[in-house]
Amino acid sequence: WGAVGGGGVAPFAVSDDGTLIYVPGSSMPSSSSQRVLALADRGGKRELLGLPPGSYGYPRVSPDGRQLAVRTDDGGGTIWIYDLSGKSALRKLTLEGTNSYPRWSPDSRRLAFFSNRENKPGIFVQAADGSGAAERLPGLPEAPEYIPTSWSPDGKALAFHAYNKANDLGIWTVSLTGERKAESFIDAPGSSQADAAFSPDGRWLAYVSQETGSQQIYVEPYPKAGAGRRQISREDRNFGPAWSVDGNELFYYQADSRRLVSVPIRTNPSFSFGQPVPIPIEGMVQLDGPRNWDLMPDGKRFLVVL
């Protein structure tokens, strides 16, 4: 294995006569500490944030557009908060355990995240300003890791994915009020479903599934309403769907083309969708797993890892 191109990694070999053969590398840098965070518009113009290079991953912008939550690899996994006005430095939110996958509440006041503190994996909810202790959510299915992915628009439920007994991923939702009961949404045998995202009206869940042998984006009514699931993507290896604020677009990362794409969506009076439109942002880093970028609330810009 060796480093090639802008820091990607690829297997290669050189013959005795000097011929090089190689497989093109992925978009994951060989040194995660060299990642930077940037805002990019739909035309691909990028503007770096005022932060030094670091091991950034899974950034999320607060719904009010004022703050950024991001994980770094230092110490196993730390979640930080950054004021997007640039008026203050990065601030640590987590101080113990390995932490990752921060997800903002709809009111921008709380964060849900994964942590293995106290030697027990779980999902925690904590005030974004760091006040008070982090609360472990009860009633989750037994699993070695949980990845929270999306709050419902009313803040009453949280979607997450977790490993089942067959070591595949399945999508669950957990109530954040009352009994706080976790319920399985989809868990197709012998395959993985992950990265669920609530639509802005709370009536649909977009997610990734590998049940057909390729990694595709689907949209399905929420809560379960019988028939009505739609396959949005067609190419293989698609990551992390995200809805526009008005619910009229669905974005996802297409790994083979290394591009974000936008798909027009209509949910009323019936569900329909159009063809994917590429968004030419160069140099994005998509890690294996949840999406490694976020959409700004204005719908015009993206927070990306380069």
Side-chain angles (χ1 to χ4, degrees):
W1 293 79
V4 299
V9 175
F12 65 88
V14 181
S15 69
D16 292 340
D17 66 3
T19 300
L20 170 68
I21 184 171
Y22 67 94
V23 177
S26 72
S27 57
M28 184 183 294
S30 57
S31 175
S32 64
S33 65
Q34 295 306 304
R35 299 176 195 150
V36 292
L37 296 170
L39 291 172
D41 64 21
R42 290 179 181 245
K45 183 179 179 181
R46 306 176 304 180
E47 177 185 355
L48 297 182
L49 298 187
L51 293 170
S55 56
Y56 303 116
Y58 312 116
R60 292 295 184 271
V61 179
S62 59
D64 62 14
R66 296 179 179 178
Q67 298 183 93
L68 162 72
V70 65
R71 183 219 68 184
T72 61
D73 286 333
D74 54 303
T78 302
I79 294 174
W80 303 76
I81 306 295
Y82 179 65
D83 188 335
L84 287 170
S85 69
K87 295 180 180 179
S88 59
L90 276 171
R91 170 175 58 84
K92 268 188 179 183
L93 179 71
T94 58
L95 302 175
E96 58 178 306
T98 297
N99 309 275
S100 194
Y101 316 120
R103 304 292 183 260
W104 290 94
S105 62
D107 61 7
S108 300
R109 298 176 60 184
R110 295 176 293 164
L111 282 160
F113 56 90
F114 166 79
S115 181
N116 67 352
R117 62 190 62 185
E118 302 165 353
N119 294 315
K120 182 180 179 182
I123 296 176
F124 291 76
V125 174
Q126 185 170 3
D129 63 6
S131 62
E135 177 190 6
R136 181 189 293 270
L137 294 184
L140 304 186
E142 186 175 348
E145 185 179 37
Y146 309 91
I147 300 181
T149 58
S150 180
W151 293 67
S152 62
D154 59 10
K156 295 181 179 180
L158 179 73
F160 66 96
H161 57 259
Y163 291 93
N164 59 25
K165 293 181 179 179
N167 208 32
D168 299 320
L169 292 172
I171 294 172
W172 295 67
T173 60
V174 59
S175 172
L176 300 177
T177 60
E179 296 181 9
R180 300 199 175 188
K181 182 180 179 182
E183 296 182 345
S184 175
F185 180 77
I186 182 171
D187 191 356
S191 67
S192 292
Q193 291 75 47
D195 237 6
F198 280 101
S199 62
D201 62 7
R203 297 175 52 232
W204 303 86
L205 269 182
Y207 60 89
V208 177
S209 179
Q210 296 177 325
E211 62 199 87
T212 63
S214 61
Q215 196 162 299
Q216 301 293 345
I217 306 295
Y218 294 88
V219 172
E220 189 163 350
Y222 177 85
K224 287 278 189 178
R229 186 173 79 156
R230 278 80 169 180
Q231 181 177 331
I232 305 300
S233 59
R234 289 294 180 266
E235 305 88 351
D236 193 9
R237 300 178 64 217
N238 303 286
F239 287 86
W243 297 84
S244 62
V245 173
D246 60 12
N248 292 332
E249 290 180 279
L250 190 68
F251 302 91
Y252 60 90
Y253 184 84
Q254 213 295 305
D256 288 343
S257 66
R258 298 187 185 181
R259 286 284 189 274
L260 277 180
V261 298
S262 166
V263 176
I265 298 283
R266 289 186 62 183
T267 58
N268 286 309
S270 60
F271 189 97
S272 63
F273 62 96
Q275 295 297 315
V277 178
I279 299 172
I281 303 172
E282 298 287 348
M284 290 181 61
V285 176
Q286 173 59 53
L287 307 176
D288 288 338
R291 59 184 170 92
N292 205 37
W293 56 275
D294 204 12
L295 179 68
M296 295 294 289
D298 62 15
K300 300 177 181 179
R301 297 173 296 163
F302 303 86
L303 194 289
V304 297
V305 180
L306 307 175

